Amino acid sequence: MIISVKDLRKVFTKERREVVALDGFDLEVLESEFVCLLGPSGCGKTTVLRIIAGLESKTSGQVLVHGKEVASSRPRVGMVFQEFALFPWRSSKKNVEFGLEVRHVPRDGRSKVADKYLDLVGLSGFAEAHPHELSGGMKQRVAIARALANEPEVLLMDEPFGSLDAQTRNLMQRELLRIWAATRKTVLFVTHSVDEAVFLADRIVVMTARPGKERESIEVLLPRPRDRTSPEFIAVRSRVLSELDEEFEKARARELSHSPEVKNNA
């Protein structure tokens, strides 16, 4: 067990009003497992990642990475964001080296590590290129290489392909699976795309509408590489959509119940 989350609760305070983002959320992720989180907007998917990464505090509950409480330790996790988050003034290689610099790894050592992971993501010929010289998919490969360079126990990915066009997104999904197969990192991946989740994941955790908790955990037992047009793929996709549709309806009903127009009509 690499990640263990039990009875997680997170409450935000906005304009003197409490918003419960997560309430009773549980999650277990095994070593080398690829898990996707799916759920309605605002259900707390990104908040879960940020708490596991130690970037956000929890209100209550237990969050363990490799058996250690995140609140009292610095978990070895890498995080990849949707926005790439690259330094525009640094080359691809210097971006990958950044975390190693912070950890005071000697220059020769971080150069070798950066070269290793740029080669892994297929960008060894773009080591000196700057972000403005790279396509969206190439930027995200640099971001993945940077996260891997710090040898994380867990790779957290927050809709990393959400801003890419459909063709590039499909390409990056295949590239990510290649990288995952080579490194066998434990991956927790947030997405809004059911198709993406079924294509990538060993297991899909469907979350409820806010406050978020686990609704269903669905194993994807299809062999890789997966054929998106196969009856088996479509069957898993339909099952996940069915779970999500019920949560979307709950979220919509709640929004309508809080609408000033509805209250006035009542």
Side-chain angles (χ1 to χ4, degrees), residues 115-219:
D115 287 341
K116 171 185 173 181
Y117 285 105
L118 283 173
D119 182 61
L120 178 66
V121 301
L123 289 178
S124 56
F126 293 86
E128 300 308 317
H130 286 71
H132 73 273
E133 300 173 291
L134 304 175
S135 68
M138 294 166 79
K139 290 176 186 176
Q140 201 57 290
R141 291 190 205 188
V142 174
I144 293 170
R146 181 176 60 184
L148 291 173
N150 289 296
E151 294 295 338
E153 297 167 345
V154 177
L155 189 60
L156 305 174
M157 309 189 79
D158 187 11
E159 293 192 77
F161 310 143
S163 63
L164 303 178
D165 63 82
Q167 185 175 358
T168 304
R169 185 169 187 159
N170 286 347
L171 172 64
M172 287 302 300
Q173 289 166 6
R174 293 193 295 271
E175 282 294 290
L176 177 59
L177 287 177
R178 179 184 63 79
I179 294 165
W180 174 68
T183 63
R184 300 305 297 173
K185 295 295 183 183
T186 303
V187 178
L188 186 57
F189 187 106
V190 164
T191 179
H192 278 102
S193 169
V194 175
D195 182 271
E196 183 168 69
V198 177
F199 187 78
L200 292 175
D202 293 320
R203 184 161 52 93
I204 299 170
V205 175
V206 179
M207 295 177 64
T208 65
R210 192 178 73 240
K213 63 179 65 176
E214 180 186 310
R215 173 187 171 92
E216 191 70 37
S217 180
I218 300 171
E219 282 192 89

Side-chain angles (χ1 to χ4, degrees), residues 200-257:
L200 292 175
D202 293 320
R203 184 161 52 93
I204 299 170
V205 175
V206 179
M207 295 177 64
T208 65
R210 192 178 73 240
K213 63 179 65 176
E214 180 186 310
R215 173 187 171 92
E216 191 70 37
S217 180
I218 300 171
E219 282 192 89
V220 185
L221 301 176
L222 307 179
R224 296 183 175 95
R226 292 171 181 167
D227 179 0
R228 302 176 201 260
T229 64
S230 72
E232 295 81 7
F233 188 100
I234 293 170
V236 176
R237 185 175 180 274
S238 297
R239 180 185 172 190
V240 176
L241 279 171
S242 177
E243 299 286 345
L244 279 174
D245 284 345
E246 289 192 28
E247 291 306 320
F248 287 137
E249 287 301 317
K250 289 180 184 178
R252 184 171 180 274
R254 185 181 66 244
E255 289 174 2
L256 287 174
S257 69

Side-chain angles (χ1 to χ4, degrees), residues 21-169:
L22 299 164
D23 193 14
F25 179 78
D26 297 320
L27 176 69
E28 292 184 341
V29 182
L30 301 176
E31 185 174 5
S32 299
E33 192 175 20
F34 198 126
V35 175
C36 281
L37 292 182
L38 270 175
S41 294
C43 72
K45 300 183 293 296
T46 295
T47 301
V48 170
L49 290 197
R50 291 181 61 83
I51 290 173
I52 292 172
L55 301 175
E56 189 81 56
S57 63
K58 65 182 188 297
T59 301
S60 62
Q62 185 183 67
V63 182
L64 305 178
V65 175
H66 253 318
K68 297 180 180 179
E69 178 65 50
V70 168
S72 60
S73 66
R74 301 186 67 179
R76 287 177 54 193
V77 302
M79 192 148 180
V80 180
F81 302 91
Q82 180 178 345
E83 304 83 8
F84 313 130
L86 300 179
F87 298 116
W89 60 87
R90 297 177 72 113
S91 67
S92 297
K93 184 171 182 175
K94 290 298 183 183
N95 266 288
V96 175
E97 289 182 1
F98 178 74
L100 303 173
E101 288 182 30
V102 172
R103 290 165 47 204
H104 305 294
V105 174
R107 181 178 297 178
D108 288 348
R110 63 178 186 253
S111 178
K112 289 178 181 177
V113 171
D115 287 341
K116 171 185 173 181
Y117 285 105
L118 283 173
D119 182 61
L120 178 66
V121 301
L123 289 178
S124 56
F126 293 86
E128 300 308 317
H130 286 71
H132 73 273
E133 300 173 291
L134 304 175
S135 68
M138 294 166 79
K139 290 176 186 176
Q140 201 57 290
R141 291 190 205 188
V142 174
I144 293 170
R146 181 176 60 184
L148 291 173
N150 289 296
E151 294 295 338
E153 297 167 345
V154 177
L155 189 60
L156 305 174
M157 309 189 79
D158 187 11
E159 293 192 77
F161 310 143
S163 63
L164 303 178
D165 63 82
Q167 185 175 358
T168 304
R169 185 169 187 159

Side-chain angles (χ1 to χ4, degrees), residues 11-26:
V11 181
F12 292 98
T13 301
K14 296 183 178 180
E15 298 177 353
R16 300 182 181 179
R17 182 172 64 93
E18 287 192 344
V19 176
V20 183
L22 299 164
D23 193 14
F25 179 78
D26 297 320

